[in-house]
Amino acid sequence: LTLSHYKVSNGNLYHYVSTGIYNDSTASTQLMGTAPSYLSANKKYYSYDGHYFYTSYGNMIEDYKAGVSKRAVNANQPFYNYYQFLSHRTKTTFTGADLNKRVNDVLNGKTSKMTNAGQYFIDNQNIYSANASLMYGVAINESAWGQSKIANDKNNLFGHGAVDSNPYYGANGYENPQTSIKYHAEKFISNGYLDNEDWRYNGGHLGDKLSGINVRYASDPYWGEKAASFYRKFDKAMGMKDAKFDILIKDVDHAPVYQKADKNSTILYRTPTVKNYSMLVLDIIKNDQGTWYKIKSDAPINKEGNQVETESSAYNVKKSVVFINADDLK
């Protein structure tokens, strides 16, 4: 009997995903990041969400049914995979050449639709404020390092339109791979999954089935985890240069996002009602209205800074800074 489980090895936490319970095969292995101190090496742990871990599968099921985590070994310390909860509104420190090296090292002399595409990811990151390394991880996961049939035949690196019922014929076709990168950054990320008025908006991070892009992007519950795993491996090879942002994770219920740290200022948009909503925190401010978090806006804000941008595809980095009151978070 083989069940999906987590283990600590050499100080890192890994997720071993099984697609069948009556064999010893592991369909995939994801690197989750540095293991938290409450998990022991070479011990098998079970988790239904990647946040709470159990040594007993039965206890995990009982907690899940009851909607609690009291039997977890980390009942009061949920684990979060940094890259899985990092906002797309960050920027990677990698260059186009750095990204190209990652693919070249794996392909080992072969070429694919991702060969020499690194700079296109960087260029579109800089225009649409969609983290190039996050997009790169998604492209690797969706296109098998640019080698999938959809990538080869349709120049589609991200599986756009490839629904489970009709993956190949439903997939979008592009003139070239760089067009699919631009379309992903602009239409799918900045003006799609991060648009507060879009039905797919559940936060600006990769996430899982509780929050983030993974809620709607793919049926695979570990899609965000897999894409994040590539980013983490790359960043470790580069000296963990991108592991520098402050992330706040809270449950939210359509919380108002203000133009200023003032409840009398303009409400620019509202958060989706989700658990584990991730925010990129720039500063913490205290005033007579309580504690405020200065955060990077998911939605693009206009040049005046007083409303969500609806006409321009670009993202104004300086103006897209907003505020959320701690009292509106759980």
Side-chain angles (χ1 to χ4, degrees), residues 189-205:
I189 300 300
S190 191
N191 294 339
Y193 286 90
L194 272 64
D195 178 356
N196 66 293
E197 295 186 350
D198 192 288
W199 64 276
R200 298 166 295 180
Y201 175 54
N202 287 284
H205 52 292

Side-chain angles (χ1 to χ4, degrees), residues 91-99 117-128 130-133 135-136 181:
K91 283 190 174 185
T92 185
T93 58
F94 297 179
T95 65
D98 292 333
L99 295 177
Q119 192 58 46
Y120 295 113
F121 284 86
I122 299 297
D123 291 345
N124 284 284
Q125 166 191 260
N126 294 339
I127 296 171
Y128 305 112
N131 184 303
S133 289
M135 293 194 294
Y136 210 69
I181 297 167

Side-chain angles (χ1 to χ4, degrees), residues 221-232:
Y222 306 125
W223 174 87
E225 192 179 278
K226 291 173 182 176
S229 180
F230 293 113
Y231 193 172
R232 204 273 182 186

